[in-house]
Structure formats: C-alpha cells, structure tokens
Amino acid sequence: MERGSFAARHDFDALQPSPDIDVRCAQFSEIAALSEMAQRLVPGVQIGAAELARYFTFDPQSILTFSRQGHLVGGMAFLFLSERGHDALLLDEICLTAPEMHYLASPQEDVAAIYIWAIAATGRGVAGLGKAAAHLRQLRFRGADCYAQPSTVAGREIMRATGFAPVPSFQPDLWCYERPWHRQPMLMPGAVIQARSFADARH
C-alpha cells in the first residue's frame, strides 16, 4: 500500500472521495483477480477465488473494486455481520479466515457490525477509501460500527489515521471505528460547572 497518504488524522466517514479512483461493487468476473491481489498484498490471506466467490454470491455489496483509468488497482472486502455475528466477533467465536455464513446479515437485513476483511491496493489505489466509506453510509450499513485487524505496519497506520482504535475483546488485536452518530457528545467544562451549581441549588 502507498504510505504517507494518511499522515493527518481524518475520520473514516470524513474521508474525501478521490476523483481519480473509481469504486464500485465487484463483478463476478473480477473475483479471481481480487483473490490473487489479496493473497499477494495482505499477509495471512489464504482464501481462494472459489471461496471468495461464495461470499460474493451471498452478498454482492460485500466486495468493492478500486480502479484507475480502467485498470484494477485495489479492492476491499467486508463481512456484514448480524447481531449474532457481532457477538461472535467480540468473543473470538468466529473463524475470520473462513467465516461461517450464519454469522452474516442477509442482504435484506440491516447490518449490526462491519468487519473489514481485507484492503488490498497498489499505488494510488488506497485513495479509494473515501468512496468505500461513502458505500458504507448507505442506510443498511449506517447503524454498524466498523472493525478490523491490521496485518501490516501500513495497515495499522491507516487504521490509526482514520479514527480506528484498539478495543477490549477476546478477539486479538481488534480495532474499532465508532460511527460519529454513535458517539456521546462531550460536555464542555462550563456545562459541568453549571450542572453542579444547579444540583447544589436544589439541596
């Protein structure tokens, strides 16, 4: 992956879409090339084209391609988890190298959690993340926080720069990006003082 593109911190949902990179749902004919790219660029990825095609057939929105001037420069795969799958992820009860289908949300179901299964990109392909984030702001995905396990130094840098942080779980080295609309508003110090004064006045 290209490094240095995410030197400044930006929330994943605030990444600007790059006009140079076209991001769309994969086509079945691209699955073999995406599988080869993932195995070449992402340490630990072993899933073959046939297995990847199985997940793609179940939910075609779960795999995106990044292309530049008509050439494939990357891709991104997700596990769209149900509530049961979300629990299994946190409890380390799901096999992330070959996820069990019963942990996935059906294509007609709102997604409880999004696991970023793999990001594979060459050159400027990593700039496709802005449009990938827009894909995940569709109504079906908006209620789901994003999870990932970075497997490279560059991947860890991207996670840190886009608002992901390690979270306590039984799953080793699990990082989470909490969607902005899920975050509790922070009280300003003045508001805390006023609240305390009001409480004191009532006693």
Side-chain angles (χ1 to χ4, degrees), residues 129-141:
L129 286 178
K131 290 181 179 177
H135 176 74
L136 298 180
R137 287 195 293 274
Q138 295 180 72
L139 186 60
R140 182 185 170 212
F141 311 123

Side-chain angles (χ1 to χ4, degrees), residues 40-144:
R40 177 164 46 88
L41 297 177
V42 184
V45 169
Q46 300 175 354
I47 192 167
E51 292 88 351
L52 190 61
R54 179 169 170 249
Y55 294 97
F56 170 78
T57 301
F58 179 79
D59 193 336
Q61 288 193 303
S62 65
I63 301 176
L64 301 178
T65 59
F66 300 173
S67 57
R68 184 170 186 260
Q69 298 178 348
H71 297 288
L72 185 68
V73 293
M76 197 166 179
F78 311 97
L79 298 177
F80 295 138
L81 301 174
S82 63
E83 292 284 357
R84 181 183 180 188
H86 187 194
D87 290 343
L89 175 67
L90 298 177
L91 295 172
D92 194 18
E93 293 177 352
I94 185 172
C95 176
L96 292 173
T97 55
E100 301 89 336
M101 303 295 284
H102 60 260
Y103 288 131
L104 304 182
S106 74
Q108 296 77 37
E109 186 181 358
D110 286 346
V111 174
I114 299 166
Y115 180 77
I116 299 175
W117 205 9
I119 303 173
T122 59
R124 292 181 54 81
V126 74
L129 286 178
K131 290 181 179 177
H135 176 74
L136 298 180
R137 287 195 293 274
Q138 295 180 72
L139 186 60
R140 182 185 170 212
F141 311 123
R142 280 181 60 85

Side-chain angles (χ1 to χ4, degrees), residues 27 39 81 102 121 125 145 150 153-154 200:
Q27 299 176 3
Q39 292 185 46
L81 301 174
H102 60 260
D145 290 334
V153 172
D200 291 342

